[in-house]
Amino acid sequence: MLVKKNPGFLQQFYLKEIVTGLYITMKNMLFAKKVTIQYPEERREYSQRFRGQHYIKAVNGVENCTACMLCPTVCPAECIHIVAGERADKEKYPVKFEIDILRCCFCGMCEEACPKDAIKLSTIYEMSQADRTVYDKEFLMQQRGNK
């Protein structure tokens, strides 16, 4: 058996809910701590685990990368392209190393797969560009601060 209740005046026009919503809104607007960051002057602190801009570790100007092709193999976005070459001492090195940054999902799998710890992700998060960006080997070899 169904019992139908007749809604009261306050329930019929949702006045209690409207007043409660206005109370919560005013409380947060007037008395809560402001969380807005004035971006160029103030910068947000991210965790050390944050994965940002890529770079290649180099020792004395020579990259650690041996062009083993593990990073392009594990990359789910398929944004890493390497062309391998060989040095005079029979060691492989990347002739061309490119990362299409718009395809990259910053998952960090390339960093984990690298046996030489050559490719790294820094904590630099300011990477906006006006055009399509492909990071080449020269750009990735630049050792940037705040890593």
Side-chain angles (χ1 to χ4, degrees), residues 45-56:
E45 288 295 323
Y46 287 102
S47 167
Q48 289 299 315
R49 297 177 356 185
F50 177 77
R51 295 187 287 251
Q53 196 171 51
H54 298 77
Y55 69 97
I56 297 176

Side-chain angles (χ1 to χ4, degrees), residues 5-147:
K5 288 175 82 177
N6 289 333
F9 179 75
L10 293 177
Q11 288 178 336
Q12 188 175 4
F13 293 106
Y14 301 106
L15 288 178
K16 180 182 175 215
E17 288 80 10
I18 290 172
V19 170
T20 304
L22 284 173
Y23 169 73
I24 291 171
T25 303
M26 289 306 198
K27 182 176 74 171
N28 287 329
M29 267 179 46
L30 300 175
F31 303 113
K33 180 184 173 200
K34 306 292 188 249
V35 293
T36 304
I37 294 175
Q38 301 298 324
Y39 171 63
E41 294 82 25
E42 298 176 32
R43 301 200 184 251
R44 177 172 284 147
E45 288 295 323
Y46 287 102
S47 167
Q48 289 299 315
R49 297 177 356 185
F50 177 77
R51 295 187 287 251
Q53 196 171 51
H54 298 77
Y55 69 97
I56 297 176
K57 273 177 59 176
V59 178
N60 298 329
V62 178
E63 70 275 350
N64 285 351
C65 182
T66 57
C68 65
M69 304 296 179
L70 281 175
C71 53
T73 304
V74 301
C75 182
E78 297 178 355
C79 65
I80 302 173
H81 306 285
I82 300 175
V83 175
E86 202 169 292
R87 290 195 177 101
D89 58 350
K90 304 288 184 189
E91 185 180 33
K92 283 175 61 179
Y93 76 101
V95 175
K96 188 168 94 171
F97 194 111
E98 293 179 342
I99 298 177
D100 187 353
I101 206 64
L102 286 179
R103 288 189 73 176
C104 183
C105 59
F106 299 95
C107 62
M109 291 178 74
C110 57
E111 186 177 19
E112 292 175 19
C114 186
K116 297 280 191 172
D117 275 345
I119 189 166
K120 293 286 189 186
L121 294 167
S122 67
T123 57
I124 299 171
Y125 58 88
E126 296 169 333
M127 297 181 282
S128 62
Q129 299 286 330
D131 54 350
R132 186 166 188 90
T133 306
V134 175
Y135 291 169
D136 60 348
K137 182 179 166 184
E138 287 74 31
F139 181 82
L140 293 168
M141 289 284 293
Q142 292 173 6
Q143 301 299 306
R144 292 172 193 82
N146 196 16
K147 292 178 195 153

